Amino acid sequence: MLEPIKHECGIAHIRLRKPLQYYIDKYGSATYAVNKLYVMMKKQSNRGQDGVGVANIKMGVDPGKRYISRYRTINSEPVEEIFGKIAKKFNKAKKKEGYNPKSAKWLKNNMGFTGEAWLGHLRYGTHGANSIESCHPFLRQNNWRSRNLVMAGNFNMTNVDELFELLIELGQHPKEKTDTVTVMEKIGHFIDEENQRIFDKYKKKKDNFEITEIIENEMDLQRVLKRSFKDFDGGYAMVGLLGHGASFVVRDPHGIRPAYKYIDDEVIVVASEKQAIKAAFNVDYDKINEVQPGHALIVHKNGEYDETPIMKQKELKACSFERIYFSRGNDPEIYQERKQLGRLLVPQILKAINFDLRNTVFSYIPNSAEVSFLGMMQGLDDYLMEKQKEVIIDKKPSLDDIDQMLSFRPRVEKLVIKDAKLRTFIADDASRDDMVANVYDTTYEVIRKGVDTVVVIDDSIVRGTTLEKSILTMLDKLEPKKIVVVSSAPQIRYPDCYGIDMSKIREFVAFRAMLQLLKDRYKENLLDEAYHQILANLDSDNQANYVQQLYNQFTQEEISAKITEIIRPEGLKAELEVVYQTVDNLHKACPGNQGDWYFTGDYPTNGGMRVVNKAFVNFMEGKTVRAY
């Protein structure tokens, strides 16, 4: 993607189902779990580079011994830093008196990160300052083990104000007004209530020491989570560890955020991506399944588990951007879907080049668009094969002889090269733009000047600024007849509020194109009409997306044509055309991920509808703040 956007975080959870001594005896080391967690987090580094955190809980340690360990960092190469610090703990332990690496009891009593419950998190901050305090996992501490809560997640809530007020109604005094704090404190409140409920049940029958054990064994986490999550509006996959060793994973009822699980006799594992589990545990893909939307995967203190509903499951709206761009492309399903995205663009591309394959060069914008590019080329091969059949079998006339037709292959070149080492140090805008234009380079003398058309494919076009300021000017230096820019994603028209850094509607080139079309056709009054409709209904519990009616004035082709005008740099000599994927083809390529609100405006929750309307109000009022 030319204009990378910060997006969804990554989670990694491992729960050992047997005592630590079992893994020492079987695998020869106490590092079994930490090594697996490291692989899982490295394989999900694409999901977060703003910060990393790891937490671990020991089970069965004596009072007075620390049983919760946590490291967090926002430094560069954060995964290596965190696990390097954990490795130092193991090395320092060697110098302690009585060091015994084969004894789980000694290790637990003498060093951290030797517990059975693990939680890792990779953060992409979608807003706000990047500080260590923003890094997951978060910790809610208490002297009762079963009241301690460690949490991390991949989530954004659209109703933080409402959740904040609910905490106040519960009698709390929250220290921050963020979705992370409100979510954790709300869950923590009901964990406290569950502890108290069981304590009151036994306080006249057992002593407090006995009651502590009873609470840990009888705690009804399904009840806790049902009460905690009933008011949440957003997309989320959350993981929580309790101090006594129980854990839970909860996924939103629309399945917006991903969460995959693998379970065997030794481990229960959860991650944001299948590939992370596959790489760490070398299991077949068919043994890795999704945590069901609206469900909680609850692991009890004894290592037994349940996957149980805590909310009514709603229409599946898994994020389609996971398949287009966010997730690693070596997941076999995602790989095939990205190829299909490229293949389905072929009819539009052929029309854009006027079916002149002999005078067209195909390329891609590195590096994540490569798989869609492969699919596009396979689609062109299929098209050529059909044409060959028409001439050879159906005896249709052709300008080429049979030998020429059978030997022809579309021309492929690597035209766009990113110089990752080139940095823009100059502060003033004019100089910076000049430097940005040189971050990318091209391959010269492979385009026939004034004859060839250049087709380049990218994952998506969000703002269009890099195309305008760099790529198009660079490609124009090759002197092609025409440049066709292809997006394997549809037009991004609406903000996201479920975990992607796309909250300001004015930044989207599709929105700017729609505004210009309204102006060109003397329909700017529709902006004011939409603005006043939103203001009149902003507090409604059944919101409509009033921005959709503005886009509905125009066809996709009309908006694409206007985008072409907007991103065309001054002085560009070549003809230019921008081609976008259609929403229908997106759904064909990615049938399991139907979440498409950033393309269609069809948000799965009322909070999402409220966010898009608020974003439009901010635009109309000249505000540059986030809409949620």
Side-chain angles (χ1 to χ4, degrees), residues 14 31-41 276 280-282:
I14 297 176
T31 60
Y32 171 80
V34 70
N35 290 338
K36 298 294 187 184
L37 190 73
Y38 170 72
V39 174
M40 288 173 67
M41 294 183 71
F281 292 89
N282 193 29

Side-chain angles (χ1 to χ4, degrees), residues 477-534:
K477 293 178 181 178
L478 302 177
E479 300 184 39
K481 176 184 176 183
K482 183 178 182 179
I483 301 171
V484 179
V485 179
V486 184
S487 170
S488 66
Q491 298 165 359
I492 297 174
R493 299 181 172 189
Y494 305 94
D496 185 74
C497 53
Y498 304 124
I500 305 174
D501 183 19
M502 298 192 304
S503 62
K504 298 172 184 175
I505 203 166
R506 67 174 67 240
E507 295 181 351
F508 306 138
V509 68
F511 184 77
R512 290 155 52 202
M514 180 267 289
L515 292 178
Q516 190 59 50
L517 285 167
L518 288 174
K519 182 178 181 180
D520 292 346
R521 301 184 188 182
Y522 305 102
K523 293 184 176 183
E524 288 179 285
N525 62 297
L526 296 179
L527 294 172
D528 290 322
E529 289 181 14
Y531 173 68
H532 290 294
Q533 283 179 312
I534 291 171

Side-chain angles (χ1 to χ4, degrees), residues 60-84:
V61 298
D62 296 331
K65 299 288 186 180
R66 294 182 65 89
Y67 59 95
I68 300 177
S69 304
R70 179 180 62 154
Y71 280 149
R72 298 180 296 173
T73 183
I74 58 171
N75 295 335
S76 60
E77 298 186 351
V79 176
E80 284 75 10
E81 179 183 339
I82 289 287
F83 285 91

Side-chain angles (χ1 to χ4, degrees), residues 322-339:
E322 284 284 351
R323 321 301 278 190
I324 298 168
Y325 175 63
F326 296 151
S327 295
R328 288 171 65 93
N330 54 349
D331 179 305
E333 290 182 357
I334 293 175
Y335 182 80
Q336 293 301 327
E337 289 175 12
R338 289 181 182 172
K339 288 181 73 174

Side-chain angles (χ1 to χ4, degrees), residues 94-234:
K94 296 176 182 178
K95 301 176 183 179
K96 291 187 176 182
E97 184 179 352
Y99 171 66
N100 186 354
K102 299 300 182 181
S103 168
K105 184 174 180 61
W106 188 93
L107 291 170
K108 284 187 173 185
N109 283 333
N110 288 276
M111 61 177 293
F113 294 99
T114 51
E116 290 83 357
W118 292 82
L119 177 54
H121 186 265
L122 302 107
R123 179 177 185 265
Y124 250 137
T126 57
H127 66 278
N130 190 35
S131 65
I132 193 72
E133 288 77 17
S134 301
C135 277
H136 303 208
F138 291 88
L139 176 59
R140 190 177 191 263
Q141 292 182 290
N142 194 284
N143 268 352
W144 290 65
R145 281 183 306 201
S146 54
R147 290 178 185 246
N148 281 279
L149 176 62
V150 183
M151 275 201 67
N154 169 14
F155 64 92
N156 262 1
M157 295 298 167
T158 67
N159 62 335
V160 175
D161 291 342
E162 177 187 342
L163 295 175
F164 185 82
E165 292 301 322
L166 284 172
L167 289 180
I168 295 173
E169 290 174 13
L170 291 171
Q172 295 192 19
H173 191 94
K175 63 180 181 180
E176 291 182 60
K177 195 175 183 179
T178 64
D179 55 3
T180 306
V181 169
T182 53
V183 164
M184 185 169 188
E185 291 301 331
K186 192 161 186 281
I187 297 171
H189 171 81
F190 289 110
I191 287 174
D192 289 343
E193 282 202 351
E194 179 68 6
N195 273 264
Q196 192 64 46
R197 180 184 70 84
I198 301 173
F199 181 86
D200 291 342
K201 178 180 176 182
Y202 290 98
K203 67 181 180 180
K204 294 182 180 179
K205 304 174 184 178
K206 305 284 185 179
D207 63 41
N208 287 0
F209 185 80
E210 291 175 306
I211 293 175
T212 295
E213 190 75 16
I214 292 170
I215 289 173
E216 294 178 358
N217 292 325
E218 289 193 8
M219 179 176 284
D220 187 348
L221 274 177
Q222 181 184 15
R223 182 173 183 268
V224 169
L225 297 172
K226 277 185 174 181
R227 300 176 76 194
S228 302
F229 279 78
K230 68 177 183 178
D231 300 306
F232 291 171
D233 187 301

Side-chain angles (χ1 to χ4, degrees), residues 411-429:
R411 293 161 60 199
V412 173
E413 302 288 354
K414 187 169 184 177
L415 295 179
V416 180
I417 304 163
K418 186 172 184 179
D419 189 345
K421 296 181 181 179
L422 190 63
R423 298 178 61 189
T424 55
F425 294 101
I426 309 301
D428 62 277
D429 291 340

Side-chain angles (χ1 to χ4, degrees), residues 187-431:
I187 297 171
H189 171 81
F190 289 110
I191 287 174
D192 289 343
E193 282 202 351
E194 179 68 6
N195 273 264
Q196 192 64 46
R197 180 184 70 84
I198 301 173
F199 181 86
D200 291 342
K201 178 180 176 182
Y202 290 98
K203 67 181 180 180
K204 294 182 180 179
K205 304 174 184 178
K206 305 284 185 179
D207 63 41
N208 287 0
F209 185 80
E210 291 175 306
I211 293 175
T212 295
E213 190 75 16
I214 292 170
I215 289 173
E216 294 178 358
N217 292 325
E218 289 193 8
M219 179 176 284
D220 187 348
L221 274 177
Q222 181 184 15
R223 182 173 183 268
V224 169
L225 297 172
K226 277 185 174 181
R227 300 176 76 194
S228 302
F229 279 78
K230 68 177 183 178
D231 300 306
F232 291 171
D233 187 301
Y236 48 86
M238 298 185 201
V239 185
L241 310 181
L242 278 76
H244 63 285
S247 68
F248 61 83
V249 181
V250 179
R251 195 171 176 212
D252 68 81
H254 291 282
I256 295 170
R257 296 277 72 87
Y260 295 93
K261 66 180 186 290
Y262 166 71
I263 300 172
D264 64 21
D265 291 340
E266 295 184 350
V267 293
I268 295 174
V269 182
V270 176
S272 294
E273 298 191 26
K274 279 186 179 181
Q275 182 61 22
I277 300 175
K278 168 71 174 175
F281 292 89
N282 193 29
V283 294
D284 294 338
Y285 275 104
D286 61 6
K287 293 182 179 179
I288 304 171
N289 304 299
E290 292 188 68
V291 176
Q292 291 301 303
H295 284 59
L297 174 63
I298 298 171
V299 185
H300 305 287
K301 180 182 176 181
N302 62 4
E304 296 302 311
Y305 71 94
D306 303 296
E307 187 168 356
T308 181
I310 62 166
M311 296 165 281
K312 183 179 179 181
Q313 189 169 338
K314 299 180 180 179
E315 182 183 8
L316 186 63
K317 287 290 184 179
C319 174
S320 58
F321 249 125
E322 284 284 351
R323 321 301 278 190
I324 298 168
Y325 175 63
F326 296 151
S327 295
R328 288 171 65 93
N330 54 349
D331 179 305
E333 290 182 357
I334 293 175
Y335 182 80
Q336 293 301 327
E337 289 175 12
R338 289 181 182 172
K339 288 181 73 174
Q340 183 70 348
L341 285 169
R343 185 181 287 111
L344 290 172
L345 282 161
V346 167
Q348 292 170 263
I349 293 169
L350 289 170
K351 183 179 178 182
I353 65 173
N354 198 26
F355 296 86
D356 185 9
L357 288 171
R358 291 195 177 278
N359 297 310
T360 301
V361 175
F362 295 90
S363 191
Y364 61 93
I365 295 172
N367 286 323
S368 53
E370 184 176 3
V371 178
S372 295
F373 171 79
L374 294 175
M376 177 182 71
M377 298 313 299
Q378 287 182 3
L380 289 170
D381 286 341
D382 293 342
Y383 167 78
L384 286 171
M385 187 176 295
E386 288 300 317
K387 290 300 174 185
Q388 290 166 357
K389 288 179 181 178
E390 288 179 4
V391 173
I392 297 170
I393 298 174
D394 298 337
K395 307 297 185 183
K396 289 187 177 181
S398 172
L399 297 175
D400 300 321
D401 60 38
I402 296 298
D403 288 339
Q404 285 179 313
M405 178 169 292
L406 291 175
S407 63
F408 175 75
R409 292 291 180 272
R411 293 161 60 199
V412 173
E413 302 288 354
K414 187 169 184 177
L415 295 179
V416 180
I417 304 163
K418 186 172 184 179
D419 189 345
K421 296 181 181 179
L422 190 63
R423 298 178 61 189
T424 55
F425 294 101
I426 309 301
D428 62 277
D429 291 340
S431 298

